[in-house]
Amino acid sequence: MKPYDYIIVGSGLFGSVFAHEATKAGKKCLVLEKREHIGGNIYTEEIEGIQVHKYGAHIFHTNNKKVWNYVNSFVEFNHYKNSPIANYKGKLFNLPFNMNTFYQLWGNEADTPTKALAKINEQRKAYAHITHPRNLEEQALALAGKDIYEKLIKGYTEKQWGRPATQIPAFIIRRLPFRFTFDNNYFNDKYQGIPIGGYTKLIELMLNDIPVITSTDYLKNKEHWDSLANKIIYTGKIDDFFNCHFGNLDYRSLRFEHEILNLDNYQGNAVVNYTDAATTFTRIIEHKHFEFGTQPKTIITKEYPQEKSDENEAYYPINDAKNQEIYEKYKQLASQQQHVIFGGRLAEYKYYDMHHVIENALNVAKKELMETKDEK
Ligand SMILES: Cc1cc2nc3c(=O)[nH]c(=O)nc-3n(C[C@H](O)[C@H](O)[C@H](O)COP(=O)(O)OP(=O)(O)OC[C@H]3O[C@@H](n4cnc5c(N)ncnc54)[C@H](O)[C@@H]3O)c2cc1C
């Protein structure tokens, strides 16, 4: 008999939720983690009393009451709501696009919802001939017109993707939601917040009493680990699992530059996007504002988008036709692996928000644990 029912590869949200549910159902689990810490990309580290989001800012939001209750059963969440600011060449705008933004862009020409809509329609009219946008630039101009595109979309998106907007596929922006109210709350979801004490605490509590081995790459000793468990829950990169048999899947990566500053408030907001092309980073995150912090110092992080290489992390899947075709081949192979369940953003090659990952992991665990209920 094998010592474990499940070996869970990866201690991010997917792996941790699965491990928690399986353990609760009486299964024996072992979690393996390649990095030296648990939590995957939601990992936060306390520095100067501030929870620093080490792999990019994470704001929890969901409409799913079950998921919200689930996370709150581990830690309490605060009432933080994301209201990013855009800085375009020193001028500040509220995001997402709402009445504040329109007023900042056009003043009295857009100080009522009717006037703002008329102004946007006038801006869009110049691009009415674009009925089949061939790239992101054409798509954004057709949806928003010149002012919004040039000041708030173009530079930021080009930095994110590392190429001109005319070479970025149009499907990246399918629609641009405009809000004709003075409401800067980025997400529309009913439940929003940040776990008090950080995301790492959330994961620690999910993995409470479950053995975890960090700094260990499952793929480097796969046969050994496979011999120890009936089933593997794999949350790493799907192309790596199959030795990149059909080639690498592409990702965009990010480089983070963290700074501790000897002042208590640097930018007055957690998230400021730099939407011009000349500033090489895309955003500055000031972590303490996620928790309404009053510490004497502050920590900021500049985010620089970059190409994915062997040295840097895979962040955003590039779900274009070429990569999607490769992924489908891996998915086909994965479906033949009876003893492996593939889950999470890397194994499914899909951008998921945290609430989606939790919902998926709960569903996968429920199905799996029902099927194996009576197995000893
Ligand atoms: C910059 C950025 C910002 C984001 N902001 C938000 C936000 O504001 N709100 C939101 O809801 N979502 C946000 N997300 C999405 C969120 O990060 C994901 O939904 C979530 O982290 C995915 O969890 P996961 O378990 O699928 O993957 P991960 O967190 O990546 O966990 C996978 C784990 O597996 C480990 N692993 C991989 N291969 C191996 C191996 N061979 N052996 C052992 N371990 C391995 C990895 O080290 C990692 O710890 C953001 C994502 C990014 C990139």
Side-chain angles (χ1 to χ4, degrees):
M1 202 174 107
K2 298 188 177 185
Y4 296 103
D5 295 299
Y6 299 104
I7 284 191
I8 291 134
V9 182
S11 63
L13 259 183
F14 192 98
S16 300
V17 168
F18 187 94
H20 183 83
E21 292 305 300
T23 306
K24 206 165 68 181
K27 303 289 182 185
K28 287 201 74 185
C29 297
L30 172 66
V31 178
L32 300 179
E33 173 52 59
K34 192 158 79 167
R35 295 177 183 165
E36 53 198 26
H37 59 75
I38 58 168
N41 278 3
I42 67 168
Y43 173 71
T44 49
E45 184 182 337
E46 187 173 319
I47 304 171
E48 301 287 345
I50 299 165
Q51 293 297 327
V52 177
H53 299 212
K54 295 292 273 208
Y55 299 90
H58 279 75
I59 298 129
F60 200 94
H61 58 97
T62 184
N63 272 324
N64 184 327
K65 195 170 184 182
K66 191 175 149 208
V67 168
W68 181 244
N69 287 342
Y70 187 75
V71 288
N72 276 274
S73 71
F74 297 98
V75 285
E76 199 184 327
F77 276 60
N78 69 17
H79 62 280
Y80 177 83
K81 287 187 175 63
N82 193 24
S83 311
I85 297 288
N87 181 323
Y88 178 74
K89 299 186 177 176
K91 199 164 181 329
L92 304 183
F93 299 90
N94 287 106
L95 297 174
F97 306 133
N98 71 73
M99 282 304 296
N100 288 308
T101 331
F102 307 142
Y103 183 68
Q104 288 147 354
L105 277 164
W106 300 305
N108 291 342
E109 286 182 76
D111 59 4
T112 67
T114 310
K115 282 160 107 183
L117 179 59
K119 184 73 191 168
I120 291 170
N121 283 337
E122 175 200 308
Q123 290 259 318
R124 288 198 277 226
K125 222 166 136 189
Y127 304 96
H129 59 280
I130 305 177
T131 48
H132 298 286
R134 288 167 300 177
N135 53 55
L136 186 137
E137 176 159 297
E138 290 187 356
Q139 173 74 290
L141 284 168
L143 289 169
K146 185 165 175 282
D147 291 355
I148 290 182
Y149 171 64
E150 288 188 350
K151 291 185 174 152
L152 300 174
I153 299 174
K154 185 179 187 320
Y156 190 84
T157 315
E158 290 185 339
K159 288 188 282 187
Q160 267 190 322
W161 290 92
R163 45 191 148 134
T166 48
Q167 289 172 28
I168 303 172
F171 81 85
I172 304 286
I173 300 186
R174 285 217 176 82
R175 48 186 208 102
L176 283 174
F178 294 122
R179 221 179 252 168
F180 292 93
T181 52
F182 289 90
D183 176 6
N184 299 324
N185 181 359
Y186 194 80
F187 299 112
N188 290 316
D189 295 293
K190 194 165 170 189
Y191 309 105
Q192 305 183 31
I194 303 277
I196 296 171
Y199 285 96
T200 305
K201 186 170 151 198
L202 170 69
I203 297 287
E204 271 167 8
L205 291 168
M206 284 180 180
L207 295 178
N208 193 19
D209 289 338
I210 300 171
V212 179
I213 309 177
T214 51
S215 306
T216 300
D217 185 339
Y218 157 79
L219 294 176
K220 293 216 166 113
N221 213 350
K222 191 168 171 299
E223 274 176 30
H224 165 68
W225 298 115
D226 287 351
S227 73
L228 297 184
N230 297 328
K231 228 166 191 178
I232 304 294
I233 309 299
Y234 182 79
T235 73
K237 288 175 71 210
I238 192 165
D239 46 349
D240 285 352
F241 186 93
F242 295 108
N243 279 321
C244 297
H245 181 72
F246 300 119
N248 288 316
L249 289 168
D250 295 328
Y251 286 86
R252 282 295 284 168
S253 189
L254 290 170
R255 181 169 65 80
F256 298 109
E257 226 175 68
H258 306 286
E259 278 174 70
I260 303 176
L261 303 179
N262 239 334
L263 75 170
D264 68 340
N265 191 356
Y266 174 73
Q267 61 186 17
N269 204 42
V271 182
V272 177
N273 292 0
Y274 285 75
T275 55
D276 65 305
T279 308
T280 51
F281 47 84
T282 44
R283 320 196 275 184
I284 298 185
I285 304 301
E286 187 170 12
H287 301 269
K288 71 191 308 178
H289 297 308
F290 287 127
E291 298 189 292
F292 315 102
T294 53
Q295 299 85 350
K297 292 189 183 178
T298 194
I299 300 179
I300 61 164
T301 301
K302 291 181 180 148
E303 286 186 12
Y304 297 86
Q306 56 181 13
E307 294 292 321
K308 157 90 188 74
S309 72
D310 287 345
E311 288 78 49
N312 48 41
E313 293 283 340
Y315 283 108
Y316 297 106
I318 302 179
N319 296 101
D320 57 11
K322 176 196 128 199
N323 282 290
Q324 216 41 43
E325 196 180 310
I326 299 175
Y327 169 66
E328 290 303 328
K329 292 184 189 166
Y330 285 124
K331 194 175 161 195
Q332 174 63 24
L333 276 190
S335 68
Q336 293 158 18
Q337 304 279 315
Q338 297 303 324
H339 70 295
V340 187
I341 294 177
F342 293 80
R345 64 178 197 102
L346 295 169
E348 294 176 65
Y349 193 59
K350 190 163 184 329
Y351 177 86
Y352 282 124
D353 275 328
M354 291 180 277
H355 62 102
H356 291 129
V357 172
I358 295 170
E359 190 181 347
N360 292 350
L362 286 173
N363 288 338
V364 167
K366 190 172 170 192
K367 182 168 178 283
E368 169 64 16
L369 297 167
M370 282 283 264
E371 284 168 8
T372 59
K373 206 164 85 179
D374 301 322
E375 284 177 19
K376 286 265 154 22

